Amino acid sequence: MEAAIGIDVGGTGTQLALVREDGVILDRVSFPTDRYSESQSFIQQLLYQVNRLEEKVETGMRIMGIGIGAPACNSRKGTIEYAANLPFELSFPLARIFEERSGYPTRLMKDSGAAALGEKLFGGAKDFDHFIVITLGTGLGSGIMVKNEIVTGAYGYASEFGHSQVPGTYRQCGCGKTGCLETYASASGLKRTAFELMAFRNTSSPLRRYSFLDLGSEQIYQAALEGDPIALEIFEQTGKVLGASLANLAVTLEPEAIFLAGGLAQAGDILFKPVEKHLHQNIFPDMRDRIRLLPSRLGHNESALLGAASLIFKMQPSFTS
Amino acid sequence: MEAAIGIDVGGTGTQLALVREDGVILDRVSFPTDRYSESQSFIQQLLYQVNRLEEKVETGMRIMGIGIGAPACNSRKGTIEYAANLPFELSFPLARIFEERSGYPTRLMKDSGAAALGEKLFGGAKDFDHFIVITLGTGLGSGIMVKNEIVTGAYGYASEFGHSQVPGTYRQCGCGKTGCLETYASASGLKRTAFELMAFRNTSSPLRRYSFLDLGSEQIYQAALEGDPIALEIFEQTGKVLGASLANLAVTLEPEAIFLAGGLAQAGDILFKPVEKHLHQNIFPDMRDRIRLLPSRLGHNESALLGAASLIFKMQPSFTS
C-alpha cells in the first residue's frame, strides 16, 4: 500500500502524520511551531520529524510524497507568505526547499483547501464535485471545490472567505480590515458576540462570571445546552451572519454541499440549526433541497492531517516558483 | 472562415447574429420575444430567423453551430427554466429541440456566462483565466471564469450573484427574496435609490421632475454629469453596495479582473470610481494592484451576441438531458 506524510503547520504546534492511502493514520508526531522564528531551523526540525515517521513505514509500503497545509501560504507558488499567525518573519518557498532536502515530491496548500481535499477523499464529500468546507476555529477558513478542483485563484491567494465583509459591522479583524466574517463566525467571534450581548442585555447569564481572557466557546456551548438565553442568542446571531454569508456564496457557486468543520462545528444542532435557517432564508426556495449543510465527516483531530496527505494522494499541480 | 450564429433571448426582444470567428458580426436580425408565450411557436420563429441568416453565409464559410444566451436557463441541461422575465410558462429543453430541428450543434448558457466567454474570446479578458463579468442592465448578471471555465454550479443554476443578499437591506426583488444586490446595483436599483434619496433629502434636484415610471438611469447619469448632489449620491451609494459585494467575491475567488458591462457600465467614471473605492476598501491592500476593475471591451450592443456565438467557438460541454 502507498502512504503519504501529512503536515499541519499551526501557529502554536506543527503536527505530522504517516497516512495510508485508505485514510488510516499509522503514526503521528508533533513539535511546537513557535520555537522557530526562522525558516531554516523550522525546516530542519520538520526534516527530523519526517525521518522519525519514515521509520514507521511498513514492509512493502512506499511514501509517495509530503503534503503540507498551512494557514498563510500561496497554494500556487508553494511559499509561506503573509503568515500573521505563524512565527516566521519572512516569506520562504517551503515546498521547493523541502522537496530538495527531503527527496519527496512536496505540495503546500492553505489548510482549509487541504481540508476540502481531505473531505473529498476520506470524508463526506466523496460523491460531490462542487462543495465548500468552512473550518470554524480561532478564525474562519474556507476550501472551495469547483468541478473537482480546489479554487486557488489567479495568484494562489484565493479562498479568504473569512475576510469577506459583513456590511454594517465594524469589528476589528486581525487582518487589518474591519467587519470581516471571521470576527463573527469563529470561536473568537462567538466570544466577542457574548461580550456585546452581555453589555446590551440585562438578562442574567453564567457567562457573566468569565473575564474576556477566560471565556471560551466551550463555556458558551455549555451555557446554550443548559438553555441560557444569552448563549442561545449568541449562536442565533452567529448563525445569522454565517448563514447569510454562506447564502451569497451558495447562489453564486451553487455547491452540492457546505460542510462545517473545526472546533466550533462540534457544537452540532445548536450551531447548525440557526446557520441552516438563515442559509435557507437567503437562497432561492428550490435550492434548499439541493444545497446541503453538513458536518464534516473527518475526525476533528485528523482533518488537517488527512487533508494535507490528500495533496499527495490526489496529486495537486506542482508549484510554479 | 468559420462562423456561428449567436442568439440573445431577451424578455422583450430576441436578437440573432451571424458571427465570424474573428468576432465580426456579418448580419443580424431580431423579433419580439413577448409575442410567443408558448415554446413551439417561439422555436419555429427562431428557426425561420436562423434560415434568414444562413442566406448571408459567404462562399467557403461554414456555420459551426448555434450559441444561445438566455437570462433564465440551466446551462448544464440546456433548458429554459424559471424564466420570470421571459414569456414562457413552462420549462423546455431549448438546446436539444433546436439541435434536432436546425441540424446544428446548439449550446445554451445564461447570458451573463456567455458574456464572460465573449469577453475572453473577443474582449478585454484575452489574457485572463480567472475573471468576473458583471452585466448591469435592468438586473445584475454575473459570469464567473475560474481556471478558464465558466462556473455553472453543481446543477447548472450557479452565478446568481445578483441575488446575493445585502445585509440590513430589504428591498423587494423580482425573485421573491428581499435585499438582493440587484435591487441596488442595476438600472432599476439606481432608480429606487433615487426615490429613496429624494424622500430622505431636502436638496433640490432635476430628478424631482420625474415620476417613478418616467425616470431612467440615463436621466440620473445626466444629472450626475451636471453635478447634481442627489444624482452623485445615488452613484456613490450604488458603488458602495456593489463595490463591497464584489470585494467579498474577490477575496474568495481572487480573479485577475472584474469587468463591468451592460447599459449602466456606460456611465464610466461616475460609476467606476465609487465602485473601485469601495472594492479597494474591502479587499486586502496587496490585492488592490492585482485585481483590476475594468470596463467591458465588447460593444454594448454586440456583447450578448458575441457571447452567445462564443459558446460555439469555445465549444462548451454538450447538455446532459
Side-chain angles (χ1 to χ4, degrees), chain B residues 181-198:
Chain B
L181 176 59
E182 77 167 27
T183 67
Y184 286 84
S186 65
S188 56
L190 214 65
K191 177 157 84 169
R192 296 170 87 158
T193 302
F195 272 70
E196 211 172 77
L197 278 172
M198 288 193 284

Side-chain angles (χ1 to χ4, degrees), chain A residues 24-305:
Chain A
V24 172
I25 291 182
L26 296 174
D27 200 14
R28 55 163 89 194
V29 291
S30 66
F31 65 93
T33 314
D34 47 15
R35 286 207 200 131
Y36 304 88
S37 61
E38 189 264 315
S39 62
Q40 284 309 316
S41 53
F42 173 72
I43 289 171
Q44 199 57 46
Q45 176 63 231
L46 265 190
L47 278 169
Y48 168 73
Q49 301 291 351
V50 165
N51 290 341
R52 283 179 64 193
L53 287 177
E54 279 176 318
E55 292 166 12
K56 307 297 172 71
V57 170
E58 297 165 355
T59 320
M61 178 175 283
R62 189 179 66 98
I63 295 179
M64 298 165 65
I66 295 173
I68 309 174
C73 64
N74 185 311
S75 305
R76 193 152 296 184
K77 292 196 284 180
T79 49
I80 295 281
E81 293 186 34
Y82 300 112
N85 300 320
L86 295 181
F88 318 114
E89 285 174 23
L90 300 172
S91 299
F92 61 100
L94 175 59
R96 183 177 59 72
I97 297 175
F98 209 74
E99 185 159 300
E100 283 168 13
R101 303 274 304 268
S102 73
Y104 292 113
T106 303
R107 297 291 180 272
L108 175 66
M109 188 181 269
K110 266 187 196 155
D111 44 13
S112 51
L117 275 184
E119 202 70 44
K120 171 78 185 173
L121 251 67
F122 304 120
K126 284 177 188 168
D127 298 329
F128 301 144
D129 289 337
H130 300 78
F131 65 92
I132 295 165
V133 171
I134 301 294
T135 54
L136 299 166
T138 313
L140 184 154
S142 58
I144 300 171
M145 184 80 92
V146 168
K147 248 187 157 178
N148 206 14
E149 274 198 67
I150 297 293
V151 172
T152 55
Y155 306 96
Y157 301 105
S159 228
E160 292 292 347
F161 179 63
H163 297 281
S164 61
Q165 165 79 21
V166 183
T169 75
Y170 302 94
R171 284 188 188 167
Q172 291 186 337
C173 184
C175 77
K177 301 199 298 154
T178 61
C180 291
L181 176 59
E182 77 168 26
T183 67
Y184 286 83
S186 65
S188 56
L190 214 65
K191 177 157 83 169
R192 296 171 86 158
T193 303
F195 273 71
E196 210 172 78
L197 278 172
M198 287 193 285
F200 182 66
R201 298 221 176 278
N202 275 326
T203 335
S204 73
S205 165
L207 302 179
R208 296 196 189 270
R209 276 183 257 135
Y210 297 97
S211 74
F212 195 89
L213 290 178
D214 288 340
L215 185 64
S217 47
E218 179 61 26
Q219 282 94 25
I220 302 172
Y221 169 66
Q222 283 302 333
L225 277 186
E226 289 155 18
D228 175 55
I230 294 241
L232 289 168
E233 193 173 349
I234 295 167
F235 277 101
E236 166 62 23
Q237 285 202 6
T238 306
K240 182 177 180 179
V241 171
L242 180 56
S245 293
L246 287 174
N248 290 353
L249 211 49
V251 296
T252 304
L253 299 179
E254 202 205 19
E256 291 154 287
I258 298 170
F259 292 88
L260 300 187
L264 200 51
Q266 310 302 309
D269 275 358
I270 283 178
L271 177 73
F272 276 71
K273 290 288 178 199
V275 174
E276 188 173 58
K277 181 177 79 179
H278 293 282
L279 168 65
H280 281 182
Q281 270 176 18
N282 289 290
I283 59 179
F284 301 110
D286 63 279
M287 275 186 166
R288 288 174 195 159
D289 290 334
R290 290 202 305 267
I291 301 181
R292 280 177 276 182
L293 183 73
L294 299 170
S296 165
R297 277 185 46 199
L298 297 181
H300 175 36
N301 294 317
E302 300 191 336
S303 166
L305 290 166

Side-chain angles (χ1 to χ4, degrees), chain B residues 185-248:
Chain B
S186 65
S188 56
L190 214 65
K191 177 157 84 169
R192 296 170 87 158
T193 302
F195 272 70
E196 211 172 77
L197 278 172
M198 288 193 284
F200 182 67
R201 298 222 175 277
N202 276 326
T203 335
S204 73
S205 165
L207 302 179
R208 295 196 189 270
R209 275 183 257 136
Y210 297 97
S211 73
F212 195 88
L213 290 177
D214 288 339
L215 184 64
S217 47
E218 179 62 27
Q219 282 94 26
I220 301 172
Y221 169 65
Q222 282 302 332
L225 277 186
E226 289 156 19
D228 175 55
I230 295 240
L232 289 169
E233 193 173 348
I234 295 167
F235 277 100
E236 166 63 22
Q237 285 202 6
T238 306
K240 183 177 180 179
V241 171
L242 181 55
S245 293
L246 287 175
N248 290 354

Side-chain angles (χ1 to χ4, degrees), chain B residues 39 43 48 96 98 111 190 225 234 239 246 299:
Chain B
S39 61
I43 288 172
Y48 167 71
R96 183 176 61 73
F98 209 75
D111 44 13
L190 214 65
L225 277 186
I234 295 167
L246 287 175

